[in-house]
């Protein structure tokens, strides 16, 4: 073993040693040697290898070992553990403890009667023996405490027996664990945790006041005691995850656990505090509600209030606390608010405003922005539970929250934290750290605005109006400002950009005011914002000619103004803003979208394009659109290559939206002009049209009709290129198939007879092959045609394409093609059902269609065996739809030829487990639906035949398994199926480990 792990050992030699070790492990008597190694060796590699070998023996061969040898293994392990646990390496000790629990999984109580009593006895001792008992207790909770899959096969009856045994011993174990926590609380120099709340109402001074007297306790065994406390708390946390809480967890224990969760300010107690809070959170996640739940909630409230008071009155300690603890505290407070706040409002001892006051102080004193965001989640949870009649009572707290958050996101008030947030690196969502922080803060303000729109909007608008004048004065001040004045100007510009974004987000809430007087005020304020923002945008851009940091700030302000106006465009009429004012915004946006010698910054161009799009969709114009965007229209007809693709796409969508009104002649001409180059340069001409089609997929029928007329020539040109086996199509295969998929997705009803002509071409092209991506898109187009109805799509041709050309290529190496092919097959079966079962049909034609139906179901069944979870779920959903819509399972052809096969495949998939376990619920529901055709036949005929077809089941096991319960309701049937599958796998594994005398 030492040679294997030596750095000088070659890979060849390592493989030789590995082979030797594997051969040794597979020997029937390897456990004897391993027990000897455990007793004699001190090499950590040898010890771990020996324990791993014993673990395999216990989990794989235990059923075949004689009782005498089982006892020898168990006693040797236990004696070694008890004799050496103080000097063992911790991972050796933990591994050996888990082996004792693994043995108990099989032998407790008939061969290992004192298993549980040994653990409780160890927990009651001191020092290292107590720690060993705690390790064993947590391992027992993890492995034995709940009837769940732990990776080791056990019969269902045995799983349930273990859970009952664990529950029977829980009172003694919980009492021992509680005693550890209470005893160590006394050692901290304080009183015991309070008695059960059933003995009286909790008082504010209920908890030991460790928080007020933080000090060092000079005890020799301080570190060991704290290690025991941490292990005790983590063990309780796991026990809380499965125990029946109301009957087994007394409120006094909850208070004790929270006591340890509140001592984070004590030295050497941080880990215990985190574990304590974790335990309480586990209880709250499971909605802990004992008989005295109101008193328990009050007790938690007083404990939380005491902790918040201590933390906020000593804010210098917060930066020194571990961030994991502060985040866990926020998690606890969120759960507490969601579960108990409304319940406690009726209690006279609960002061809601006092609680919110300390929560507010804590929220705005936490040391980092990330923890602050987690605290905002508490407030959002609080807002979620409020009713309209609660708003006046809590408005002061909500108003303070809004002002506090606004201060938090303004550089004027929080520059120290904001300037350290990264605004360059993007996460997986494409957002920087600063953008993510800003988004969460603005969403919190918006949630308060949903309750009191006018008040919140007024608060933000007042701040915005104080700064908006800076934008106009920046032209002459930025260049001359220096030092402190320049810094103040820059901060004002940055804050103006942030507040502008907030106002844009509040647009929907403000106009939702229902009370007439407040709605009038809301409309007036909205009009003020639109007028002032419009005037600011009417001024020329100020970014050029300024130092870089000012230029960036001015750039962001202009972009945020564009975005804000875009959000408010749809409310301009409600706010009484003259149409002429809104039309004036076109002159503010269009210049940024025209070609220039010195291009405008991409950020501004994109923001201008989005505002133009919003104006085009939401403002009813009185002027001729050509007078507003004529120059841009002329450039767009030729090319928008000077803009970035995303910006150009928004401009195209805006222009079509603007000109599609009325006859739509100019929109039609625009689309036709963009498609004119499809024949000469399809790779350049088709992607913009594809993006346009996606943008108008949900547009009105009138708009789609005009776009369809404009795009017709491009579609016909692309279809002709599809017919060419080489040349232009080969070079632009991806772009052409992408275009047709978008075309069919957006405009299928408007294409008329072109649809069926195109599908015929798709079917021919698909038979030629091509790349898998292109074939997949063509198959999707055919599927859309099938789902559209009509007689233009020949089902027999589609099925031939699938069986001969697509499905043979749809292997696990091409999962997207396989899913598209089976989605098409599902559409044929679901939407063209009557093709297979016509009312009138001659015998020969009926037989041919019945054969086609058999072929389709066979393909669907084969797909259930493929290693693709998405494909599995797709085909199970197809079967469910066919049964609910067309009664598939009751059809004679299915019952006689396919029912047993599909049931076998579904049950086999459940038995196989692995990745198929991800579809366990779907598979079980499918089995239930098929069995519902005839439950008696399923129990008495199918199941016995299925079980006998499985290898590795002994006759007495078959007799037990065939006694399947007669319950037919889905929940009970599901439990019974899961037990059956578990027991099948368990008994097959047992029989694979044939009983032998392991001593030889």
């Amino acid at each position: 073993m030492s040679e294997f792990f030596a750095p000088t050992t070659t890979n060849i030699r390592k493989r030789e040693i590995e082979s030797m070790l594997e051969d040794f492990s597979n020997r029937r008597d390897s456990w004897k040697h391993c027990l000897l190694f455990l007793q004699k060796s001190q090499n950590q590699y040898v010890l771990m290898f020996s324990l791993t070998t014993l673990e395999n023996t216990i989990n794989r061969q235990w059923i075949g070992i004689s009782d005498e040898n089982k006892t020898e293994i168990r006693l040797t392990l236990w004696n070694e553990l008890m004799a050496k646990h103080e000097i063992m390496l911790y991972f050796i000790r933990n591994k050996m403890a888990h082996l004792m629990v693994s043995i108990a999984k099989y032998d407790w109580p008939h061969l290992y009667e004192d298993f549980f009593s040994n653990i409780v006895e160890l927990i009651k001792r001191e020092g290292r023996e107590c720690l060993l008992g705690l390790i064993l207790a947590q391992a027992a909770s993890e492995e034995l405490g709940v009837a769940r899959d732990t990776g080791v096969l056990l019969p269902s009856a045995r799983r349930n027996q273990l859970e009952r045994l664990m529950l029977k011993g829980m009172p003694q174990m919980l009492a021992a664990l509680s005693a550890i926590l209470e005893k160590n609380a006394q050692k901290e120099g304080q009183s015991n945790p309070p008695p059960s709340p059933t003995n009286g109402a909790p008082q504010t001074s209920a908890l030991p006041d460790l928080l007020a007297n933080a000090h060092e306790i000079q005890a020799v065994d301080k570190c060991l005691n704290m290690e025991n406390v941490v292990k005790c708390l983590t063990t309780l946390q796991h026990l809380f995850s499965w125990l029946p809480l109301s009957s087994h967890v007394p409120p006094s224990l909850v208070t004790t656990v929270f006591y340890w969760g509140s001592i984070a300010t004590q030295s050497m107690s941080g880990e215990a505090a985190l574990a304590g809070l974790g335990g309480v959170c586990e209880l709250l996640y499971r909605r802990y509600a004992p008989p005295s739940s109101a008193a328990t909630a009050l007790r938690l409230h007083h404990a939380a209030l005491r902790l918040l008071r201590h933390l906020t009155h000593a804010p210098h300690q917060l930066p020194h606390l571990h961030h994991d603890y502060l985040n866990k505290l926020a998690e606890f407070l969120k759960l507490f608010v969601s579960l108990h706040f409304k319940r406690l409002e009726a209690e006279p001892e609960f002061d809601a405003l006092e609680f919110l006051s300390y929560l507010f102080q804590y929220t705005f004193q936490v040391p980092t922005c990330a923890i602050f965001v987690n605290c905002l989640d508490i407030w959002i949870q609080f807002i979620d539970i409020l009713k309209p009649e609660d708003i006046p009572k809590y408005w002061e707290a909500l108003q303070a929250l809004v002002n506090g958050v606004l201060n938090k996101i303004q550089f004027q008030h929080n520059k120290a934290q904001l300037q350290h947030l990264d605004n360059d690196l993007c996460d997986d969502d494409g957002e920087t750290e600063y953008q993510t922080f800003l988004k969460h803060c603005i969403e919190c303000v918006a949630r308060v605005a949903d309750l009191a729109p006018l008040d919140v909007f007024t608060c933000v608008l007042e701040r915005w109006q104080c700064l908006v004048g800076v934008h106009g004065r920046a032209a002459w001040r930025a260049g001359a400002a220096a030092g402190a004045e320049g810094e103040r100007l820059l901060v004002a510009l940055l804050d103006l950009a942030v507040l502008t974004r907030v106002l844009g987000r509040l647009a929907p809430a403000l106009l939702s005011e229902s009370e007439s007087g407040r709605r009038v005020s809301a409309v007036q304020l909205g009009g003020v914002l639109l007028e002032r923002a419009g005037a600011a945008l009417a001024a020329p851009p100020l970014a050029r000619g300024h130092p870089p940091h000012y230029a960036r700030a001015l750039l962001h302000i202009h972009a945020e103004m564009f975005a804000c106006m875009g959000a408010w465009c749809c409310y301009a009429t409600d706010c009484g803003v003259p149409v002429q004012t809104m039309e004036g915004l076109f002159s503010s946006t269009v210049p940024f979208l025209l070609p220039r010698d010195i291009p405008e910054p991409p950020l501004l161009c994109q923001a201008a394009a989005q505002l133009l799009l919003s104006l085009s969709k939401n403002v009813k114009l009185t002027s001729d659109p050509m007078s507003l965007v004529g120059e841009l229209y002329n450039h767009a007809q030729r090319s928008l290559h000077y803009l970035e693709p995303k910006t150009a796409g928004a401009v195209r969508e805006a222009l079509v939206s603007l000109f599609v009104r009325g006859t739509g002649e100019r929109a039609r001409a625009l689309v036709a002009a963009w498609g004119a180059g499809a024949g000469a340069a399809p790779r350049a001409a088709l992607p913009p049209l594809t993006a346009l089609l996606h943008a108008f997929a949900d547009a009105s029928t009138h708009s789609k009709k005009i776009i369809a007329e404009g795009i017709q020539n491009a579609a016909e040109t692309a279809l002709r290129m599809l017919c060419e086996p080489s040349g232009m199509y080969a070079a632009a295969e991806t772009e052409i198939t992408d275009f047709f998929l978008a075309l069919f997705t957006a405009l299928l009803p408007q294409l008329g007879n072109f649809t069926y002509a195109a599908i015929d071409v798709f079917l021919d092209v698909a038979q030629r092959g091509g790349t898998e991506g292109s074939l997949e898109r063509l198959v999707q187009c055919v599927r859309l045609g099938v789902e559209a109805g009509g007689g233009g799509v020949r089902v027999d041709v589609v099925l031939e394409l699938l069986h001969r050309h697509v499905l043979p290529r749809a292997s696990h190496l091409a999962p997207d093609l396989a899913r598209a092919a089976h989605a098409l097959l599902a559409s044929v079966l679901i939407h063209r059902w009557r093709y297979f079962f016509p009312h009138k049909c001659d015998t020969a034609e009926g037989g041919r269609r019945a054969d086609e139906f058999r072929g389709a179901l066979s393909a669907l069944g084969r797909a259930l065996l493929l290693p693709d979870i998405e494909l599995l779920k797709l085909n199970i959903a197809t079967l469910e739809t066919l049964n609910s819509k067309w009664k598939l399972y009751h059809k004679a052809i299915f019952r006689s030829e396919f029912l047993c096969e599909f049931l076998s495949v579904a049950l086999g998939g459940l038995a196989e487990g692995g990745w198929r376990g991800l579809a366990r619920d779907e598979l079980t529901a499918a089995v239930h639906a098929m069995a519902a055709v005839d439950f008696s036949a399923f129990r008495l005929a199918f199941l016995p035949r299925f079980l006998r077809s499985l290898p590795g089941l002994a006759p007495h096991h078959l007799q037990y398994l065939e006694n399947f319960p007669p319950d037919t309701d889905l929940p009970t049937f599901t439990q019974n199926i899961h037990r059956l599958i578990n027991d099948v796998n368990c008994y097959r594994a047992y029989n694979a480990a044939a009983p032998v005398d392991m001593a030889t």
Side-chain angles (χ1 to χ4, degrees), residues 256-321:
T256 305
V257 171
F258 190 87
Y259 159 75
W260 284 100
S262 65
I263 61 170
T265 54
Q266 289 293 92
S267 62
M268 303 172 65
S269 301
E271 195 175 353
L274 184 61
L277 276 184
V280 179
C281 287
E282 186 66 47
L283 290 170
L284 293 180
Y285 275 122
R286 295 191 61 206
R287 297 184 175 274
Y288 173 61
S292 56
S293 57
T296 302
L298 266 178
R299 188 179 290 268
L300 283 177
H301 159 67
H302 287 304
L305 197 64
R306 176 180 291 270
L307 177 57
L308 289 175
R309 184 186 299 121
H310 175 73
L311 292 176
T312 54
H313 286 177
H316 61 281
Q317 292 183 345
L318 278 175
H320 303 292
L321 294 180

Side-chain angles (χ1 to χ4, degrees), residues 131-169:
L131 180 60
L132 178 60
L134 293 170
I135 293 169
L136 286 163
Q138 183 169 344
S141 176
E142 293 169 350
E143 296 293 325
L144 314 179
V146 61
R148 58 179 171 79
D149 184 11
T150 57
V152 177
L153 291 172
L154 280 177
S156 300
R158 176 60 177 162
R159 289 178 184 271
N160 294 331
Q161 181 190 22
L162 287 171
E163 185 174 356
R164 289 194 300 271
L165 289 169
M166 287 290 289
L167 289 176
K168 183 179 178 180

